[in-house]
């Protein structure tokens, strides 16, 4: 390829040939469907042809002149922008493509001149030097343009539109088992979004129209080995945008120390926030960012995933750090549901994360995720255990006034009512635990009747929890001196237990057998109550000698008085007792009434002769009505009724 | 041998090991300079070894109730609290390593710009731009509120005639922070707070290794913070209240004083990390900036040669960073996990120890 020393005609002929080849190359280059490889080949060919031209010309010096001319042209196009306050890409597509062409040309000239044989031509060196300077200037400018485009056409999306289901009611439980009102917690508004929602949601982080522009800048910069500058600019703008978005979501950085010291209500809402932010960041933002990187830098090898990693890792690690801090915290029972939320969130994002960070450089993020998932799982189990322990160890010094439903009962039942939602996760986590942990109350044998649900790990644990609760309630009932009140208490509480199970998804896990058995239990307590209270009272009204004539007046008086006193005593005491459930209360009253009123009526009826005596303090009606006052929760004393 | 004697022996051995390990750290071989990446690796290894031995002495085969009685009912919770603070420092330093990586990346540009023959004006300009960003990245005050947003980098307005500092702004991201208003210096300070060497009878019992481990943990965290730029290092304490008469502490104190001296020197000039590679990189960057400032093609032959030497040194540092920074982050993460685990173990011990005897 050395310059031919031939005469003018051949030299001109060669020039023509080369020129023709040049034209062909240009024409081919303009074709649309060229592969990247083919394009590269054509570019190289182009440079070489330019070199041949200049080589052939070297004797006459005209080759270099040609090169210099081309460089001058390119320089003009490039330098004119240095004094222009406008941004090139704002000025229009033609300006932009002209500029890029000029830069491209300069790059080719540089490549070509460099590839020349080592003739040490001073002129060559000068031109090469000039070309490289111009190239540097252009690259610097392109960097500015890139940043301008990214910033100007960057877009932020509204997170609320992404996940629009209602946020779950923030149910807060605190340690002291303060009684929770029986709020009708809607089963449907359970989560802010289903964890089955798979699939990402891609948005345009940068307006779609400018993607080709960015891509073309990337191409030019990378071709001229200015890739690092491109990445530096691109990463810094995109990273900043992500972090702005992150703080826009309201998530803040917290140190581990802060999290460990945080009070529960505050922590609970942050955990909630975290699950929400995590999903949006991973499934929407990062997925979109990855796509942007691929669109702009695809075909440049590992650059795309490198940029993506640099853009996203700080934010992701920040989110993960919060999770770790939470997992480190004390294992309080009230944390359980939120921990399960966080666990489920991570679990369902695993696949997304594995896809986003699939290269080796990003594998440490995958590792972090998996580690955190495990730790959250352990934390959740520990919280679950703590829940059980808290129930068992919830001691009382004094009997619960009124014998109504104990706050512990309310707390526990309202809490476990929400467990079925987390059935799958809990089963997964509890599978490794010993099912049916040894308790004071043995597991009933459900045998062949157990459906799949009632025999899953969560069901076992639920039943063991209620067993703990029942044991505790039994202990608490022992604090009452009055045996009748013990039974009222147990009746109330077991009834409450059953109602909660029946009235929610828990019934599927506890099963019919359990419900039947516990129904029988509270009914038994009702009967025990009746016996304990009324047997002695009604005994005054018993007929010692059935069939014989009525008793003596003095006996009647005695009996009457006995009954009145006993009845009044019961009235005074038991009006302050409480049966919160209206149906239960009614049932018990009816049953009591049947016993007592009937006996009284019979008693009076048999001794009609004495009934106008002053000793009959209360009419049957009065007794009947008085019974209605029982279990109202506030102590009253019986007023004398008028004698008939 | 009875358990008491065995225990004393174990403690003595532990402290001897501590002393040995820190003595080794004090006299690093030629290419393992104090506070270099590889030295930090060794420091972290020392921590892990000491911690393992410490846990063995305190927890293994020991009745938990022993550790719930005074003075352990105060010493152990204090240790656990310090451990939590150390965790936050690990995170801060891990973030910091990322910013060192950023410096590494910038130096890569400098290297490829200047590694040219012949060197042209364009190359020099390219290098200078990267060098300015590099110096800015290293010397940026890691105080809060000084971050320059990329959008404010003058791109959109008043482009021409803009001053170079603005172009070189290094964005310090928000997620680089551990937390708002968090300060690594204050964190170290609070770890040192209440650190009192055991006296009298306690000095020969279990409180002694507890004190030792506390000191080690604080020293390691302190050294990391001194070496790697992280959030708010202003006011980093330079003095450790460790009594000089403690045998095992001599080399540690010696190291600490050496590093503290360096720190005090640097504090006056600006806040780049004491990491050996960073320091060297800074010097080279300064020298190269002077070169690029005064360079005009074809340039003074001597100066060009000098610059080439600088570049080749820079390449070496780049290589060390390239090899060592990611492993360093992983190593820090390992330390992080170990501290978490240790904390859990001690919490368990406390819980078991305080359970009522049935």
């Amino acid at each position: 390829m050395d310059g031919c020393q031939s005469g003018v005609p051949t030299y001109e002929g060669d020039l023509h040939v080369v020129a023709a080849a040049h034209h062909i190359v240009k024409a081919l280059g303009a074709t649309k469907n060229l592969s990247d490889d083919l394009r590269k080949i054509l570019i190289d060919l182009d440079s070489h042809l330019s070199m041949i031209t200049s080589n052939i010309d070297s004797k006459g010096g005209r080759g270099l002149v040609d090169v210099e001319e081309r460089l001058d042209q390119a320089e003009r196009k490039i330098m004119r922008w240095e004094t222009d306050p406008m941004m090139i890409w704002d000025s229009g597509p033609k300006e932009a493509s002209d500029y890029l062409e000029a830069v491209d040309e300069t790059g080719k000239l540089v490549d070509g001149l460099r590839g020349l044989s080592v003739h040490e031509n001073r002129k060559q060196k000068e031109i090469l030097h000039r070309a490289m300077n111009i190239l540097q200037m252009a690259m610097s400018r392109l960097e500015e343009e890139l940043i301008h485009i990214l910033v100007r056409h960057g877009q932020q999306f509204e997170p609320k539109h992404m996940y629009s289901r209602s946020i779950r009611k923030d149910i807060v439980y605190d340690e002291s088992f303060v009684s929770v009102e029986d709020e009708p917690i809607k089963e449907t508004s359970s989560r802010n979004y289903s964890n089955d929602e798979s699939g990402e949601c891609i948005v345009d982080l940068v307006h779609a129209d400018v993607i080709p522009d960015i891509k073309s800048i990337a191409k030019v910069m990378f071709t001229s080995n200015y890739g690092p500058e491109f990445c530096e600019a691109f990463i810094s703008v995109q990273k900043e945008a992500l972090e702005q978005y992150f703080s826009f979501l309201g998530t803040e950085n917290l140190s581990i120390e802060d999290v460990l010291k945080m009070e529960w209500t505050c922590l609970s809402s942050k955990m909630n926030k975290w699950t929400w932010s995590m999903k949006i960041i991973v499934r929407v933002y990062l997925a979109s960012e990855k796509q942007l990187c691929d669109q702009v830098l695809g075909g440049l090898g590992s650059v795309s995933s490198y940029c993506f990693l640099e853009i996203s890792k700080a934010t992701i690690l920040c989110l993960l750090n919060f999770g770790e801090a939470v997992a480190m915290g004390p294992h309080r029972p009230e944390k359980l549901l939120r921990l399960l939320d966080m666990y489920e969130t991570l679990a369902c994002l695993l696949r997304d994360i594995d896809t986003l960070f699939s290269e080796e450089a990003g594998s440490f993020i995958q590792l972090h995720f998996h580690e955190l998932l495990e730790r959250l799982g352990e934390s959740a189990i520990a919280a679950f255990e703590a829940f059980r322990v808290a129930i068992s160890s919830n001691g009382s010094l004094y009997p619960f006034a009124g014998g109504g439903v104990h706050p512990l009962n309310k707390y526990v039942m309202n809490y476990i009512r929400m467990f079925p939602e987390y059935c799958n996760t809990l089963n997964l986590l509890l599978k490794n635990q010993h099912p049916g942990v040894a308790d004071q109350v043995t597991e009933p044998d459900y045998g062949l009747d157990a459906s799949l649900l009632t025999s899953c790990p969560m069901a076992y644990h639920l039943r063991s929890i209620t067993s703990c609760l029942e044991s505790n309630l039994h202990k608490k009932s022992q604090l009452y001196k009055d045996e009748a009140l013990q039974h009222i208490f147990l009746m109330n509480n077991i009834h409450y237990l059953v109602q909660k199970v029946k009235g929610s998804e828990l019934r599927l896990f506890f099963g019919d057998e359990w419900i039947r058995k516990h129904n029988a239990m509270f009914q038994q307590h009702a009967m025990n109550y009746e016996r304990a209270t009324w047997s002695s009272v009604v005994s005054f009204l018993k007929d010692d000698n059935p069939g014989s004539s009525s008793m003596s007046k003095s006996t009647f008086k005695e009996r009457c008085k006995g009954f009145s006193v006993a009845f009044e005593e019961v009235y005074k005491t038991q009006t302050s007792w409480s049966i919160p459930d209206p149906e239960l209360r009614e049932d018990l009253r009816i049953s009591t009434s049947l016993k007592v009123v009937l006996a009284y009526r019979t008693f009076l009826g048999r001794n009609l002769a004495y009934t106008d005596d002053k000793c009959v303090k209360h009419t049957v009606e009065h007794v009947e009505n008085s019974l209605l006052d029982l279990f109202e929760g506030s102590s009253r004393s019986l007023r004398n009724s008028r004698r008939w | 041998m009875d358990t008491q004697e065995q225990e004393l022996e174990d403690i003595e051995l532990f402290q001897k090991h501590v002393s040995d390990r820190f003595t080794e750290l004090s006299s690093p071989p030629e290419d393992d300079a104090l506070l270099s990446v590889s030295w930090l690796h060794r420091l972290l290894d020392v921590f892990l070894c000491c911690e393992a031995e410490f846990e063995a002495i305190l927890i293994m085969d020991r009745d938990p109730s022993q550790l719930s009685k005074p003075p352990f009912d105060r010493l152990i919770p204090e240790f656990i609290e310090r451990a939590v603070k150390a965790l936050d420092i690990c995170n801060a330093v891990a973030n910091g390593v990322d910013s060192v990586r950023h410096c590494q990346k910038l130096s890569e540009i400098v290297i490829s710009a200047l590694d040219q023959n012949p060197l042209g004006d364009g190359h020099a300009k390219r290098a200078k731009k990267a060098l300015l960003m590099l110096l800015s990245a290293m010397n940026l005050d890691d105080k809060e509120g000084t971050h320059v947003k990329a959008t404010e980098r003058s791109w959109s307005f008043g482009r021409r005639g803009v001053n170079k500092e603005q172009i070189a702004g290094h964005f310090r991201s928000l997620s680089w922070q551990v937390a708002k208003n968090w300060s690594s210096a204050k964190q170290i300070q609070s770890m040192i707070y209440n650190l009192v060497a055991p006296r009298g009878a306690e000095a020969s019992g279990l409180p002694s290794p507890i004190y030792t481990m506390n000191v080690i943990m604080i020293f390691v965290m302190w050294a990391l913070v001194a070496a790697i730029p992280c959030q708010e290092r202003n006011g980093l304490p330079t003095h450790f209240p460790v009594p000089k008469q403690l045998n095992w502490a001599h080399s540690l104190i010696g190291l600490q004083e050496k590093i503290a001296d360096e720190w005090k020197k640097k504090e006056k000039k600006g806040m780049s990390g004491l990491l050996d590679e960073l320091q060297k990189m800074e010097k080279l960057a300064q020298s190269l900036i002077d070169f690029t400032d005064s360079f005009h093609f074809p340039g003074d032959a001597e100066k060009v040669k000098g610059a080439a030497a600088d570049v080749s040194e820079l390449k070496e540092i780049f290589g060390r960073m390239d090899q060592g920074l990611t492993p360093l982050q992983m190593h820090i993460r390992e330390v992080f996990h170990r501290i978490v685990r240790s904390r859990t173990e001690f919490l368990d011990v406390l819980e078991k120890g305080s359970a009522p005897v049935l």
Side-chain angles (χ1 to χ4, degrees):
Chain A
M1 293 293 174
D2 277 4
C4 302
Q5 308 277 332
S6 51
V8 169
T10 330
Y11 154 75
E12 271 185 347
D14 284 339
L15 266 186
H16 283 311
V17 169
V18 172
H22 235 278
H23 280 301
I24 294 172
V25 166
K26 274 219 160 56
L28 277 174
T31 329
K32 282 207 173 126
N33 296 328
L34 280 183
S35 70
D36 281 335
D37 284 347
L38 197 49
R39 213 173 270 283
K40 190 152 194 323
I41 293 174
L42 284 176
I43 291 170
D44 284 346
L45 196 51
D46 202 27
S47 314
H48 276 119
L49 285 174
S50 307
M51 283 315 91
I52 297 174
T53 316
S54 56
N55 248 348
I56 293 174
D57 262 348
S58 67
K59 215 161 183 211
R62 271 173 57 191
L64 275 180
V65 169
D66 188 45
V67 166
E68 210 173 352
E69 256 171 41
R70 286 163 65 193
L71 185 60
D72 285 339
Q73 237 191 3
E75 187 178 23
R76 266 194 300 275
K77 286 197 196 154
I78 290 171
M79 290 307 284
R80 84 147 250 250
W81 284 100
E82 291 305 295
T83 46
D84 194 325
M86 282 289 285
M87 300 303 282
I88 305 173
W89 264 262
D90 279 348
S91 310
K94 174 131 196 336
E95 279 81 350
S97 67
D98 274 352
Y99 190 84
L100 280 178
E101 230 183 83
V103 179
D104 201 34
E105 172 83 340
T106 313
K108 277 200 220 129
L109 291 172
V110 166
D111 278 343
L113 282 167
R114 271 230 200 89
L116 271 184
S117 52
V118 218
H119 271 310
E120 296 298 308
N121 184 325
R122 194 185 64 97
K123 184 77 175 157
Q124 239 166 264
K125 284 212 284 198
E126 258 176 45
I127 299 177
L128 176 59
H129 181 249
R130 192 155 73 96
M132 289 200 289
N133 289 355
I134 296 169
L135 195 63
Q136 156 63 21
M137 208 165 323
M139 289 295 140
S140 194
R141 181 52 184 263
L142 284 177
E143 210 187 307
E144 280 184 41
E145 295 285 327
L146 170 69
I147 293 180
H148 176 78
I149 295 173
L150 285 172
V151 168
R152 178 138 180 242
H153 299 280
Q155 302 178 141
Q156 284 207 341
F157 59 95
E158 265 299 307
K160 295 194 178 36
H161 296 155
M162 296 290 114
Y163 291 96
S164 53
R165 307 252 289 267
S166 56
I167 308 269
R168 183 228 317 257
K169 208 168 187 168
D170 232 328
I171 299 142
V172 178
Y173 288 78
D174 75 46
E175 284 167 67
S176 54
F177 292 121
V178 165
S179 70
V180 176
E181 286 313 309
D182 278 301
E183 289 162 355
I185 295 156
K186 302 178 206 69
E187 299 285 327
T188 48
S189 78
S190 32
R191 324 277 198 84
N192 33 1
Y193 35 77
S194 158
N195 277 326
D196 296 330
E197 253 173 60
S198 60
E200 345 145 300
C201 176
I202 310 277
V203 297
D204 284 333
L205 291 173
V206 172
H207 198 284
D209 289 348
V210 302
I211 304 276
D213 293 333
I214 303 175
K215 207 170 159 162
S216 52
I217 294 180
K219 184 158 158 277
V220 167
M221 285 183 81
F222 272 87
T223 313
S224 313
N225 293 319
Y226 274 76
E229 275 92 341
F230 178 91
C231 291
E232 178 72 25
F234 182 74
I235 291 171
S236 73
V237 174
Q238 291 305 98
K239 189 166 176 200
E240 188 180 323
L242 170 57
E243 278 144 16
Q244 273 179 0
Y245 189 73
F246 187 62
S247 56
F248 167 64
L249 284 184
T251 24
E252 48 171 313
N253 292 15
L254 293 164
S255 70
I256 296 178
E257 218 183 337
D258 287 339
V259 173
L260 290 178
K261 291 203 183 114
M262 201 172 277
E263 173 266 322
W264 170 239
T265 330
C266 190
L267 184 60
S268 168
S269 81
K270 293 215 190 287
M271 285 164 86
N272 205 18
K273 195 71 183 277
W274 183 93
T275 55
W276 185 69
S277 305
M278 200 46 146
K279 288 204 175 191
I280 293 193
I281 296 268
V282 174
R283 283 227 171 115
V284 183
Y285 203 105
L286 290 188
S288 309
E289 187 73 62
K290 178 119 198 195
Q291 196 193 63
L292 177 65
C293 290
D294 283 338
Q295 280 175 326
V296 165
L297 297 165
L300 289 167
S302 61
V303 179
S304 167
S305 47
Y306 164 76
C307 286
F308 173 70
L309 183 62
E310 291 302 307
I311 292 170
S312 57
K313 75 179 169 191
T315 304
I316 277 281
L317 288 175
C318 183
L319 281 166
L320 289 173
N321 183 52
F322 176 78
E324 276 177 11
V326 166
M328 260 189 254
H331 305 305
R332 299 254 167 71
E334 60 268 20
K335 279 181 155 183
L336 177 59
L337 295 183
R338 289 272 186 259
L339 282 171
L340 289 173
D341 274 334
M342 288 175 73
Y343 181 92
E344 287 192 345
T345 301
L346 275 188
C348 79
L349 287 177
L350 269 185
R351 228 176 321 138
D352 300 82
I353 290 292
D354 284 346
T355 315
L356 288 173
F357 297 99
S358 53
E359 277 83 31
E360 206 203 310
S363 64
F364 73 98
I365 294 201
Q366 282 185 19
L367 191 64
H368 266 257
F369 256 81
H370 285 268
E371 278 171 2
L372 180 60
L373 186 70
E374 217 180 288
R375 254 195 280 283
L376 282 175
E378 285 165 9
S379 253
I381 294 294
F384 196 90
E385 251 332 287
F387 183 45
R388 193 203 311 274
V389 166
I391 297 171
S392 303
S393 61
N394 179 280
S396 301
L397 285 176
Y398 304 108
F400 182 62
V405 180
H406 197 277
L408 175 65
N409 196 349
K410 284 192 185 170
Y411 180 93
V412 173
M413 294 316 290
N414 280 321
Y415 200 47
I416 69 173
R417 235 170 30 147
M418 300 196 272
F419 284 19
E421 259 178 61
Y422 300 91
C423 176
N424 291 332
T425 303
L426 274 173
N427 277 332
L428 185 69
L429 292 173
L430 292 170
K431 202 167 47 169
N432 307 321
Q433 306 287 103
H434 189 289
V437 170
D439 276 326
Q440 296 92 316
V441 181
T442 50
E443 290 292 333
D445 179 23
Y446 292 113
L448 301 161
D449 290 344
S451 75
L452 216 56
L453 276 182
T454 54
S455 54
C456 71
M458 188 180 84
Y460 277 127
H461 283 266
L462 281 175
R463 286 194 293 268
S464 101
I465 282 182
T466 49
S467 289
C468 271
L469 179 61
E470 284 173 61
S471 300
N472 194 321
L473 291 168
H474 271 98
K475 262 194 269 172
K476 290 193 195 315
S477 73
Q478 300 298 317
L479 292 169
Y480 297 111
K481 295 210 190 77
D482 195 327
E483 190 200 330
L485 189 51
Q486 284 179 9
H487 290 296
I488 290 283
F489 177 76
L490 287 172
M491 176 193 76
N492 276 330
N493 280 278
I494 297 183
H495 177 260
Y496 184 84
L497 220 92
V498 176
Q499 291 305 100
K500 284 293 164 182
V501 169
K502 269 164 60 173
S504 70
E505 273 183 31
L506 287 173
R507 70 183 182 281
L508 302 168
F509 295 90
F510 280 84
D512 291 332
E513 190 59 43
W514 184 96
I515 295 177
R516 263 198 295 275
K517 183 170 174 221
H518 284 73
N519 271 334
M521 268 189 213
F522 80 77
Q523 278 156 9
Q524 182 66 46
H525 283 295
M527 287 196 292
N528 290 345
Y529 152 77
E530 272 179 30
R531 182 191 38 79
T533 299
W534 295 109
S535 308
S536 52
V537 179
V538 166
S539 68
F540 286 108
L541 308 172
K542 247 201 301 220
D543 190 1
D544 286 333
N545 308 314
S548 72
S549 55
S550 49
M551 54 188 72
S552 67
K553 185 160 184 177
S554 59
T555 320
F556 177 76
K557 259 178 143 164
E558 227 181 273
R559 292 289 194 82
C560 237
K561 189 156 187 226
F563 175 77
S564 298
V565 166
F567 186 78
E568 278 163 31
E569 194 53 48
V570 169
Y571 183 85
K572 196 169 91 178
T573 317
Q574 299 199 358
T575 41
S576 67
W577 295 2
S578 160
I579 298 182
D581 185 79
E583 252 182 60
L584 193 61
R585 191 165 61 235
E586 198 49 41
D587 283 347
L588 201 61
R589 280 198 195 129
I590 291 173
S591 158
T592 310
S593 190
L594 280 173
K595 232 184 166 156
V596 176
V597 171
L598 192 63
Y600 194 53
R601 190 175 277 135
T602 316
F603 175 76
L604 289 180
R606 258 189 284 122
N607 296 294
L608 273 172
Y610 311 125
T611 48
D612 46 349
D613 211 297
K614 275 189 244 159
C615 67
V616 179
K617 259 180 138 186
H618 310 291
T619 59
V620 175
E621 221 175 57
H622 193 206
V623 166
E624 204 170 19
N625 290 337
S626 307
L627 283 174
L628 294 175
D629 294 340
L630 292 184
F631 313 124
E632 285 300 315
S634 56
S635 183
R636 297 158 74 162
S637 63
L638 208 53
R639 267 179 266 119
N640 279 354
S641 69
R642 287 268 176 90
R643 279 185 43 156
W644 261 348
Chain B
M1 202 189 301
D2 94 317
T3 40
Q4 189 98 357
E5 273 180 40
Q6 178 69 55
E7 191 175 278
L8 284 173
E9 234 191 59
D10 287 340
I11 294 176
E12 237 184 83
L13 198 61
F14 169 65
Q15 293 181 329
K16 179 173 182 303
H17 286 163
V18 167
S19 176
D20 288 342
R21 289 183 188 126
F22 277 96
T23 308
E24 247 186 79
L25 277 178
S26 307
S27 40
E30 189 50 56
D31 53 349
D32 217 8
L34 198 65
L35 292 183
S36 65
V37 171
S38 46
W39 187 88
L40 287 178
H41 275 293
R42 287 171 58 206
L43 178 69
L44 294 177
D45 272 335
V46 164
F47 175 81
L48 291 170
C49 291
C50 294
E51 203 282 330
E53 242 187 284
F54 170 69
E55 247 187 80
I57 294 179
L58 262 271
I59 299 185
M60 227 154 52
D61 295 334
R62 187 176 298 281
D63 177 12
S65 62
Q66 203 185 348
L67 292 178
S68 318
K69 299 197 193 88
F72 304 107
D73 58 346
R74 176 183 47 95
L75 290 177
I76 304 269
E78 270 180 13
F79 176 74
I80 293 177
E81 252 187 67
R82 288 200 182 93
V84 170
K85 293 188 202 280
L87 291 175
D88 278 321
I89 294 192
C90 285
N91 279 341
V93 173
N95 285 348
V97 174
D98 264 342
S99 61
V100 177
R101 245 219 225 91
H102 186 230
C103 293
Q104 179 200 327
K105 204 76 183 100
L106 289 170
S107 73
E108 196 177 23
I109 298 179
V110 174
I111 292 171
S112 71
L114 292 178
D115 206 18
Q116 305 278 347
N117 198 7
L119 194 64
D121 283 332
H123 300 129
K125 283 213 190 81
R126 184 184 185 191
K128 182 165 173 194
K129 196 164 163 200
L131 283 163
L132 282 172
M133 283 184 78
L134 179 57
L135 280 174
S136 155
M138 285 194 284
N139 285 317
L140 195 67
D141 199 348
D142 39 34
K143 267 191 178 18
E144 224 184 290
T146 56
H147 75 255
V148 179
K149 285 161 62 169
T151 43
E152 284 163 8
R153 266 203 279 180
S154 81
W155 301 134
S156 309
F157 36 90
R159 281 180 43 251
R160 302 293 103 189
V162 116
N163 63 12
K164 300 287 185 214
E165 275 65 44
Q166 277 184 290
I167 296 176
H170 168 69
F171 172 64
R172 188 70 95 212
S173 63
L174 295 169
S175 57
W176 179 85
Q177 294 178 352
V178 168
K180 209 167 169 209
N181 297 326
W182 190 86
S183 155
S184 51
K186 287 209 192 97
Q187 192 87 336
I188 298 278
Q189 187 66 56
S190 72
M191 281 174 87
I192 296 180
Y193 177 71
N194 237 0
L195 184 70
V196 177
R199 280 193 287 261
E202 285 187 359
S204 51
L206 280 182
S208 182
I210 296 181
Y211 177 73
T212 305
M213 195 63 223
N214 270 315
V215 172
I216 295 175
M217 188 161 63
I218 295 175
F219 173 75
V220 171
M221 293 301 133
W222 176 83
L224 286 173
V225 168
I228 311 267
C230 53
Q231 189 177 359
E232 197 56 68
R233 297 180 302 158
N234 225 1
L236 187 69
T238 47
H239 175 69
F240 279 26
V242 179
K244 300 238 159 109
Q245 58 268 31
L246 292 171
N247 284 337
W248 56 266
H250 286 162
S251 1
L252 193 153
I253 296 179
L255 264 179
Q256 190 270 324
E257 285 175 348
K258 219 160 152 193
I259 298 175
D261 276 340
E262 279 303 307
W263 177 263
K264 280 183 241 176
K265 274 193 236 154
K266 281 288 154 185
E267 210 174 5
K268 299 189 188 121
K269 295 194 214 154
M271 221 32 87
S272 154
L274 286 185
L275 185 71
D276 182 62
E277 283 84 354
L278 264 187
Q279 290 294 310
K280 292 206 171 90
M281 196 179 262
E282 198 179 346
K283 278 207 195 83
L284 291 168
Q286 286 291 0
S287 158
L288 284 171
I289 273 218
D290 290 337
F291 170 72
T292 55
D293 256 340
S294 63
F295 179 83
H296 283 294
F297 182 72
D300 177 84
E302 275 304 308
K303 286 205 184 147
V304 170
K305 214 161 138 203
D310 281 345
V311 169
S312 112
E313 232 194 286
L314 193 62
K315 263 196 220 168
E316 208 204 298
I317 295 178
F318 171 87
R320 271 191 264 147
M321 282 188 176
D322 200 32
Q323 284 207 325
L325 286 181
T326 307
L328 185 64
Q329 274 180 322
M330 296 205 292
H331 212 165
I332 294 176
R333 185 107 190 119
E334 203 190 321
V335 166
F336 181 93
H337 281 317
R338 175 73 73 81
I339 298 179
V340 171
R341 216 193 61 199
S342 171
R343 173 182 172 269
T344 309
E345 301 264 355
F346 278 106
L347 282 175
D348 275 344
V349 160
L350 282 181
E351 208 182 292
K352 285 200 198 104
S354 62
V357 180
L358 293 165

